[in-house]
Amino acid sequence: MHDIVRLCEWGRASINDWSAGERALTRHAIAHWQNENHLPVAPLTCDETGLRAQQWVGVVEAAGRTIEIYPKLDATLLDKNTLPQSKAAGMMSNLLWMLDVAEHRDLADADLAGLDSLESFFDLFAWILARRLLNELEGGLPHHYLLHSDVLRSVRGRLDLTRQVTTLWDRHDRVACLWDEFTPDTSLMRLFKCALRFLQPRVSHATTVGLVSDCLSLLDEVSDIAPFEALAQARVMFWDRNTERFRLSHDLARRLLGGYAPALGSGSEETFVFLMDMNKVFENYVTAVLEHHFATLVRTQECLGTLFRLERGGIRQYADYLWQSRGALWIGDAKYKHLTKASGQPLTFATLNAETTSFRAGQVLNAGDVRQLTVYAELSKIHPQLKTLGAPHLALLYPYTGNATLKEDTAVAWNGAFFHLMPVRVGGFAGAPNLNEVLGAVSLIHG
């Protein structure tokens, strides 16, 4: 059992009891993962001063130590590096819900039954992979013809003439054969089996253990291979109608095994890193929520224009979200910030500016974030395809973890645009989460 160190995004943790070798091995594991994912900055630093995390959430295993990094929205759940099981289950369920919606998009209701004891990130990863993969495997394993060759006593398939007349020219009792075998033992299935074998000893949640075992039983005819071999074989995949349904599971399995690496200079020691950029997770989650709520296609990272009217170097401006609803243009910007930490209630302009409150709009809302959205509004007014839609509605979308009734609040910005404070629920669900409960009702009637 590895010693566990827990911290949150942008948090710090002391590792005074770690040796120099353990720190070096951890840095090597993080550097390997950083290089594999082409990141300019390390997601986690480890030195004599301790651990310092950025916006990445997940797990690092190295030198017999485990580092768990949790979402910053759940920072209050950590108490001096401890996480009670009841709180861990709620946090993991909320994170699982976000990941399901962000990655799959087509889930209106996440099946979270039985997750009352989900405690670790490995349980989380295994649940996401095995639950979906089991449904896909029960639909039938894709088979392909694979070429086999061997030296046999009698002919099977067709004769390998070149080998027969060269290396076996004087062996009349041996026949070089080539034949095709219709088998499920393909590179895709080997990748899945390897990922499940890797997760199996690390999973403790009873339901998840059952899911992993059920998947492995369906993959009984598939070969067991090492992670590096599985990744090499699955580097180039040819998708067809029989395998397309496995694409999401393939992507997750590759990401999981991509975090595995042997630790240089440590014998049989192995390392594992799997981290998720929570900014991206929240942005993808919000995309799915908006598309469900407004029943329309939401365009992401849409260029609205440039800050300078130059042929080159105009500084392009990209909106996180752009969509239309009931003839109105909406421009949205996702801010993965815990804006409601002080009050626990969804933001309203009246509350932010009340004389009795200890904080003001300028302290909670970043002026740069507001200014950015209003610039988007001005650019949309001169955009060739958008200017005919009139003044846009602006939405600042922020995560909300409380259990109060969701509602958006609106004020008129300096340029006349309607500015909406729009909470997006990422926790505090009453019962099973549902996308209908994630975004408050939005009205287009203002003044």
Side-chain angles (χ1 to χ4, degrees), residues 153-418:
R153 291 183 177 275
S154 59
V155 176
R156 178 179 181 181
R158 61 188 185 275
L159 183 67
D160 186 352
L161 186 60
T162 301
R163 187 177 182 185
Q164 188 69 43
V165 301
T166 54
T167 60
L168 298 175
W169 66 272
D170 60 342
R171 295 298 303 270
H172 303 292
D173 60 332
R174 293 289 185 267
V175 182
C177 301
L178 294 171
W179 72 95
D180 293 317
E181 186 174 317
F182 195 56
T183 174
D185 192 12
T186 62
S187 58
L188 179 62
M189 296 299 108
R190 291 171 190 162
L191 177 74
F192 291 145
K193 190 169 186 178
C194 183
L196 292 167
R197 289 285 192 213
F198 176 80
L199 289 170
Q200 191 176 34
R202 294 168 167 83
V203 175
S204 58
H205 181 250
T207 305
T208 308
V209 169
L211 288 173
V212 172
S213 298
D214 290 344
C215 288
L216 287 171
S217 66
L218 293 175
L219 294 170
D220 187 57
E221 297 180 60
V222 178
S223 302
D224 282 293
I225 58 177
F228 287 131
E229 188 179 354
L231 288 171
Q233 292 183 7
R235 185 167 297 156
V236 178
M237 292 295 305
F238 298 97
W239 301 99
D240 55 35
R241 61 183 181 180
N242 292 322
T243 58
E244 183 64 32
R245 68 183 189 273
F246 292 99
R247 190 183 286 268
L248 282 173
S249 298
H250 161 270
D251 293 344
L252 178 57
R254 283 200 63 177
R255 287 174 61 196
L256 281 168
L257 292 181
Y260 165 87
L264 298 181
S266 59
S268 61
E269 187 75 34
E270 298 173 348
T271 66
F272 176 77
V273 181
F274 189 91
L275 300 171
M276 300 165 286
D277 186 342
M278 286 304 294
N279 289 338
K280 294 296 183 183
V281 171
F282 182 68
E283 289 174 6
N284 292 339
Y285 175 70
V286 170
T287 302
V289 169
L290 291 175
E291 289 184 341
H292 177 84
H293 185 91
F294 288 94
T296 188
L297 176 67
V298 175
R299 291 146 64 183
T300 60
Q301 297 303 314
E302 188 75 14
C303 181
L304 298 175
T306 60
L307 296 180
F308 297 106
R309 295 181 179 178
L310 299 173
E311 291 185 7
R312 298 182 62 184
I315 309 181
R316 296 190 175 197
Q317 297 295 290
Y318 294 89
D320 285 348
Y321 312 105
L322 188 72
W323 74 97
Q324 295 182 45
S325 178
R326 288 186 277 173
L329 175 66
W330 284 79
I331 300 174
D333 194 31
K335 295 301 179 186
Y336 181 60
K337 302 176 181 178
H338 202 349
L339 301 180
T340 60
K341 180 167 53 176
S343 66
Q345 297 291 320
L347 297 179
T348 64
F349 288 102
T351 302
L352 289 174
N353 295 305
E355 293 184 0
T356 56
T357 190
S358 58
F359 47 90
R360 298 287 185 266
Q363 296 172 297
V364 177
L365 301 178
N366 185 282
D369 296 340
V370 176
R371 187 161 48 242
Q372 181 183 40
L373 272 170
T374 55
V375 169
Y376 291 162
E378 294 303 299
L379 290 174
S380 71
K381 294 176 184 177
I382 59 175
H383 191 283
Q385 285 80 44
L386 302 177
K387 61 183 180 181
T388 58
L389 298 175
H393 289 260
L394 306 176
L396 180 67
L397 298 128
Y398 64 92
Y400 179 66
T401 59
N403 52 17
T405 302
L406 288 182
K407 59 181 179 180
E408 56 91 25
D409 195 34
T410 305
V412 178
W414 61 269
N415 59 350
F418 290 113

Side-chain angles (χ1 to χ4, degrees), residues 48-214:
E48 293 74 12
T49 64
L51 299 171
R52 296 186 302 280
Q54 295 202 34
Q55 80 275 14
W56 298 84
V57 166
V59 62
V60 177
E61 274 192 355
R65 306 279 189 172
T66 298
I67 304 168
E68 294 183 346
I69 309 172
Y70 294 92
K72 61 186 178 184
L73 302 179
D74 299 303
T76 56
L77 299 182
L78 289 179
D79 181 18
K80 296 181 180 179
N81 192 35
T82 61
L83 185 66
Q85 179 176 332
S86 59
K87 294 182 179 180
M91 190 214 69
M92 287 295 176
S93 296
N94 293 337
L95 184 57
L96 173 61
W97 160 254
M98 285 185 64
L99 291 171
D100 257 340
V101 175
E103 294 292 331
H104 301 163
R105 301 290 178 86
D106 58 350
L107 297 179
D109 293 281
D111 179 14
L112 302 182
L115 296 189
D116 54 334
S117 57
L118 195 69
E119 292 186 65
S120 73
F121 280 104
F122 286 112
D123 287 340
L124 180 72
F125 303 150
W127 173 275
I128 295 173
L129 176 63
R131 185 189 57 173
R132 184 180 186 90
L133 183 59
L134 182 60
N135 292 331
E136 295 163 347
L137 294 175
E138 288 177 340
L141 274 67
H143 287 58
H144 292 285
Y145 284 102
L146 296 181
L147 180 64
H148 293 265
S149 65
D150 201 356
V151 177
L152 307 175
R153 291 183 177 275
S154 59
V155 176
R156 178 179 181 181
R158 61 188 185 275
L159 183 67
D160 186 352
L161 186 60
T162 301
R163 187 177 182 185
Q164 188 69 43
V165 301
T166 54
T167 60
L168 298 175
W169 66 272
D170 60 342
R171 295 298 303 270
H172 303 292
D173 60 332
R174 293 289 185 267
V175 182
C177 301
L178 294 171
W179 72 95
D180 293 317
E181 186 174 317
F182 195 56
T183 174
D185 192 12
T186 62
S187 58
L188 179 62
M189 296 299 108
R190 291 171 190 162
L191 177 74
F192 291 145
K193 190 169 186 178
C194 183
L196 292 167
R197 289 285 192 213
F198 176 80
L199 289 170
Q200 191 176 34
R202 294 168 167 83
V203 175
S204 58
H205 181 250
T207 305
T208 308
V209 169
L211 288 173
V212 172
S213 298
D214 290 344

